[in-house]
Amino acid sequence: MMDDFGLYPREEQFDPFSVMLFKALQIVAFFFFIAVLAISPDAKDGKVDSKAEFLITMDWPDNHPDDLDLFVQDPVGNIAWYRHREAGFLTLDRDDRGGANDFILVNGLKIPSPIREEIVTVRGIVAGEYTVNISHFQNVSGQPVEAKVKVQKLNPTAQVIFDDKVVLDHSGDEKTALRFKLDAEGKVVDVQRRPKSLLETFRSTSRNGADLDPKTGVRTIRR
């Protein structure tokens, strides 16, 4: 609208409703931007958000009836196994007994699970050598069993340091899958497969007359 001098005014008339609507749209846009940031974090290739430093897995064929066990020893002698599932920074997440305990609960019903797997996590760095062994606790099938062992370094990025198979052929059979060394920063400096019996560690303790093993709290390996 022109003024009395035939000129357009320098400012338009003030409209409170339009100003409030514009401010409301600004607020909505701001909260939408915050929500997008929250649900869409920057992706980094190979980045693993985990408290564990290493993940050690051992699996054997689905639905297999045999009972295999994973043993892991750290550089100071702690051993994680089915009778001592937490030892130092080592944790055995599950004792898989083959066909004996592989069930999941669904609506109160026990349903057989086909997966055969044991997992040990290493939740802190201790420099030195780690030993990863497999034991054939019970050979129900009467046949050799092929187990797959994988060791992954998780931080700062996921890295497979070992992935291979081990064959066990009778109850009581024990094989060393690998031995690997870490430096003080947690870097893998050596990987080898030189045999070392961890079951013999328990037997030696018993033969020496100790009432209880200080690291396992038991004398025998019977379940």
Side-chain angles (χ1 to χ4, degrees):
M1 177 185 294
M2 291 186 181
D3 58 15
D4 295 337
F5 299 97
L7 300 175
Y8 286 98
R10 188 176 298 274
E11 297 180 357
E12 296 182 359
Q13 290 184 336
F14 178 72
D15 185 351
F17 178 78
S18 297
V19 173
M20 292 179 62
L21 180 60
F22 179 73
K23 293 296 183 183
L25 290 174
Q26 283 183 316
I27 293 172
V28 171
F30 174 77
F31 282 113
F32 177 78
F33 177 73
I34 295 298
V36 170
L37 289 180
I39 64 177
S40 302
D42 292 337
K44 296 182 179 180
D45 292 341
K47 185 68 175 179
V48 176
D49 184 14
S50 174
K51 294 181 180 179
E53 297 293 337
F54 287 84
L55 189 67
I56 303 170
T57 60
M58 180 267 291
D59 59 74
W60 60 107
D62 289 353
N63 293 307
H64 204 286
D66 287 11
D67 182 357
L68 273 60
D69 290 309
L70 180 63
F71 291 72
V72 180
Q73 183 182 50
D74 70 10
V76 296
N78 294 308
I79 302 176
W81 60 306
Y82 61 80
R83 292 294 296 269
H84 197 68
R85 296 173 66 163
E86 294 187 6
F89 287 128
L90 307 175
T91 302
L92 174 64
D93 292 327
R94 183 170 188 271
D95 174 26
D96 191 324
R97 298 178 59 189
N101 74 335
D102 268 348
F103 296 92
I104 57 175
L105 287 176
V106 178
N107 296 326
L109 299 176
K110 292 177 66 176
I111 299 177
S113 170
I115 299 173
R116 301 292 183 263
E117 183 179 55
E118 293 199 358
I119 301 173
V120 168
T121 51
V122 183
R123 302 187 181 279
I125 297 300
V126 178
E129 184 180 76
Y130 292 76
T131 301
V132 180
N133 279 16
I134 301 174
S135 172
H136 200 161
F137 184 83
Q138 189 173 20
N139 187 347
V140 177
S141 66
Q143 300 294 325
V145 182
E146 185 177 75
K148 179 180 178 181
V149 177
K150 179 185 289 187
V151 179
Q152 299 178 76
K153 186 179 187 299
L154 300 181
N155 297 311
T157 58
Q159 176 188 3
V160 177
I161 68 168
F162 182 85
D163 187 357
D164 207 347
K165 297 174 181 179
V166 179
V167 176
L168 303 105
D169 60 14
H170 61 273
S171 295
D173 193 13
E174 179 189 13
K175 296 285 178 63
T176 296
L178 78 152
R179 298 162 72 173
F180 64 97
K181 290 184 179 179
L182 304 181
D183 63 15
E185 286 72 40
K187 180 181 178 181
V188 179
V189 294
D190 183 50
V191 177
Q192 59 170 287
R193 305 189 71 167
R194 183 163 50 92
K196 175 184 176 180
S197 175
L198 297 183
L199 293 179
E200 185 60 30
T201 301
F202 305 133
R203 298 188 185 104
S204 296
T205 301
S206 179
R207 285 197 299 267
N208 290 336
D211 291 332
L212 291 176
D213 187 290
K215 298 186 183 303
T216 64
V218 294
R219 292 187 59 184
T220 70
I221 61 170
R222 294 193 301 272
R223 289 194 187 277

